[in-house]
């Protein structure tokens, strides 16, 4: 990939706000973490909220050494409580790079994960970033909480070429 082509020469990196929020506790386990990339472009990105496991968030925050140990500890503390929220800031040459990093992070990329409720059979779907084999809980509209395991990566094209 040619990262240089994403840059506008002479443009200083822009700072993007990444809003993090701990989702409600389910069956005594902390919920997932939702994130929303805003930073003055929130209108454009509305609806692009997705969720992460704790491991997936840790990987992203640690990746570039862009966040100090103190900052990461503060994030962990803020997200230790139900509905706790905090915002981290990252400088990127352009929004695209920031989005690609947060959505496409290798090993825990955001993808739609579908699951059938154990009680009513309803198919529930949500965008989650987690490592293959990691599990999380999801509450169905009927109230039942099911444990979901992050599946192996699906091929980009679902139909094999013949
Ligand atoms: Zn259900």
């Amino acid at each position: 990939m040619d990262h240089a082509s994403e840059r506008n020469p002479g443009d200083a990196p822009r700072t993007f706000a990444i809003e993090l929020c701990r989702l409600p506790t389910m069956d005594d386990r902390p919920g997932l973490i939702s994130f929303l990339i805003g930073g003055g472009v929130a209108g454009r990105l509305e609806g692009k909220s997705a969720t992460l496991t704790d491991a997936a968030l840790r990987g992203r925050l640690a990746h570039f050494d862009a966040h100090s140990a103190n900052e990461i500890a503060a994030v962990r503390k803020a997200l230790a409580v139900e509905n706790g929220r905090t915002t981290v800031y990252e400088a990127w040459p352009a929004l695209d790079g920031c989005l690609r990093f947060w959505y496409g992070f290798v090993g825990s990329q955001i993808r739609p994960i579908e699951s059938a409720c154990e009680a009513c059979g309803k198919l529930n779907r949500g965008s989650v970033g987690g490592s293959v084999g990691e599990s999380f809980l999801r509450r169905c509209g009927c109230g039942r909480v099911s444990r979901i395991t992050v599946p192996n990566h699906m091929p980009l094209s679902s139909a094999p070429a013949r």
Side-chain angles (χ1 to χ4, degrees), residues 106-128:
V106 174
S108 61
Q109 72 197 75
I110 303 294
R111 53 208 170 103
I113 295 180
E114 206 170 63
S115 61
C117 173
E118 290 162 2
C120 71
K122 182 176 186 284
L123 276 185
N124 293 300
R125 194 179 163 90
S127 293
V128 182

Side-chain angles (χ1 to χ4, degrees), residues 63-141:
H63 191 70
F64 286 125
D65 273 337
H67 304 282
S68 69
N70 279 346
E71 188 186 0
I72 288 174
V75 167
R76 191 181 307 138
K77 193 173 169 196
L79 297 179
V81 295
E82 190 171 5
N83 299 319
R85 43 180 79 234
T86 186
T87 304
V88 295
Y89 298 89
E90 292 186 354
W92 288 89
L95 175 62
D96 280 4
C98 181
L99 289 177
R100 259 206 295 280
F101 176 78
W102 277 81
Y103 282 83
F105 192 79
V106 174
S108 61
Q109 72 197 75
I110 303 294
R111 53 208 170 103
I113 295 180
E114 206 170 63
S115 61
C117 173
E118 290 162 2
C120 71
K122 182 176 186 284
L123 276 185
N124 293 300
R125 194 179 163 90
S127 293
V128 182
S131 307
V132 173
E134 215 181 341
S135 71
F136 62 94
L137 300 179
R138 173 178 282 167
R139 188 187 300 276
C140 177

Side-chain angles (χ1 to χ4, degrees), residues 3-70:
H3 287 285
S5 64
E6 293 166 13
R7 292 166 191 270
N8 296 323
D11 273 7
R14 293 171 55 195
T15 299
F16 296 97
I18 298 138
E19 294 161 24
L20 304 168
C21 180
R22 171 70 68 186
L23 298 177
T25 302
M26 281 182 249
D27 283 3
D28 294 329
R29 271 185 56 168
L32 292 169
I33 298 155
S34 75
F35 74 94
L36 187 62
I37 296 172
V41 286
R44 184 178 155 192
L45 293 171
E46 231 164 275
K48 290 220 75 171
S49 172
T51 52
L52 296 169
T53 63
D54 280 83
L57 175 64
R58 270 200 304 276
R60 283 161 173 78
L61 291 180
H63 191 70
F64 286 125
D65 273 337
H67 304 282
S68 69
N70 279 346

